């Protein structure tokens, strides 16, 4: 009977140690996803912070089309109102977040395209610097989204792999959503001369 008890205790200890190791691995992976999501939000916030300066510069340098400026400001407002924590990273929530960010991108593209018609604006150093900062921010956003998707991939593989999936279910580690290309990005833009 003592041999059986020792075997049961050893098996219980092994399972307990494996469970602790699996749990800690899931926590590390989840924390990495949270960090990457924070970086994505930081880059979007950076872009959002640049927009008012860009709009003021454009307003001051050009007799500008008001509808475009209003659209940029409204898109920025809507995008900044959607805040997701790392616990809310479902595919549906990420699509809502991305849709709001796509509206900002579209509005900025229209603003920059219309700005091309104003030679004094194109020569304005503040405008050129803000435009360069926005371009750099868009690149940072793309890198942050790629890093986030890499972290989500690693996390999801861990959560869905056996036997981690058992511990993930017990301790409440759900599968996270990826950033996906928007529907607008699925078709090539038409260029006309």
């Amino acid at each position: 009977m003592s041999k059986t008890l020792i075997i049961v205790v050893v098996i219980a200890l092994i399972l307990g140690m494996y469970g602790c190791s699996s749990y800690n691995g899931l926590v590390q992976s989840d924390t990495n996803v949270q960090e990457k999501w924070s970086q994505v939000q930081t880059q979007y916030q950076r872009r959002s912070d640049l927009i008012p300066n860009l709009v003021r510069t454009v307003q001051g340098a050009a007799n500008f089309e008001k509808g475009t400026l209003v659209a940029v400001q409204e898109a920025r407002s809507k995008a900044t109102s959607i805040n997701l924590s790392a616990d809310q990273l479902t595919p549906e929530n990420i699509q809502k977040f991305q849709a709001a960010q796509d509206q900002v991108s579209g509005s900025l593209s229209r603003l920059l395209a219309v700005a091309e018609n104003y030679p004094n604006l194109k020569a304005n150093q503040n405008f050129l610097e803000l435009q360069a900062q926005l371009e750099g921010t868009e690149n940072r956003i793309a890198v942050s989204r790629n890093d986030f998707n890499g972290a989500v991939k690693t996390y999801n593989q861990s959560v869905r792999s056996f036997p981690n999936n058992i511990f993930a279910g017990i301790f409440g580690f759900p599968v996270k959503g990826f950033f996906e290309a928007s529907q607008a990005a699925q078709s090539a833009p038409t260029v006309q001369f």
Side-chain angles (χ1 to χ4, degrees):
M1 185 132 83
S2 69
K3 264 187 168 180
T4 308
L5 181 61
I6 291 173
I7 292 172
V8 169
V9 168
V10 169
I11 291 173
L13 283 174
I14 291 171
L15 287 174
M17 288 174 27
Y18 184 77
C20 288
S21 175
S22 292
Y23 177 79
N24 289 337
L26 291 169
V27 168
Q28 287 175 343
S29 191
D30 186 50
T31 302
N32 189 36
V33 169
Q34 291 175 21
E35 176 199 4
K36 299 302 182 190
W37 179 248
S38 176
Q39 291 173 6
V40 168
Q41 289 182 311
T42 298
Q43 296 309 321
Y44 277 120
Q45 184 62 49
R46 183 180 195 285
R47 177 175 74 173
S48 182
D49 292 345
L50 289 171
I51 290 172
N53 293 330
L54 183 68
V55 168
R56 280 192 295 276
T57 301
V58 170
Q59 282 175 326
N63 181 9
F64 210 79
E65 178 181 322
K66 294 258 188 235
T68 303
L69 295 174
V70 169
V72 170
Q73 291 168 328
E74 287 174 356
R76 176 188 177 268
S77 177
K78 183 177 179 182
T80 57
S81 72
I82 298 176
N83 293 314
L84 296 178
S85 70
D87 296 337
Q88 300 169 319
L89 297 178
T90 64
E92 298 80 24
N93 285 342
I94 290 178
Q95 285 178 345
K96 288 178 189 174
F97 183 85
Q98 184 61 32
Q101 297 302 330
D102 286 346
Q103 285 184 335
V104 174
S105 296
S107 297
L108 283 174
S109 295
R110 286 189 298 280
L111 175 70
L112 295 175
V114 173
E116 290 295 315
N117 295 327
Y118 293 86
N120 60 332
L121 182 60
K122 289 193 299 188
N124 181 313
Q125 190 61 36
N126 287 338
F127 178 77
L128 295 175
E129 286 175 15
L130 286 166
Q131 187 176 13
Q133 286 184 28
L134 277 171
E135 290 169 0
T137 299
E138 293 298 328
N139 290 334
R140 289 179 181 152
I141 288 169
V143 168
S144 292
R145 286 189 305 212
N146 286 337
D147 290 348
F148 171 76
N149 279 346
V152 168
K153 175 186 171 196
T154 301
Y155 169 84
N156 285 347
Q157 285 174 336
S158 182
V159 166
R160 295 178 63 210
S161 297
F162 182 80
N164 278 354
N165 61 346
I166 296 168
F167 295 107
I170 291 170
F171 295 116
F173 288 94
V175 171
K176 306 276 187 194
F178 289 96
F179 255 108
E180 297 177 3
S182 66
Q183 289 298 331
Q186 300 299 320
S187 57
T190 304
V191 178
Q192 296 179 358
F193 295 99

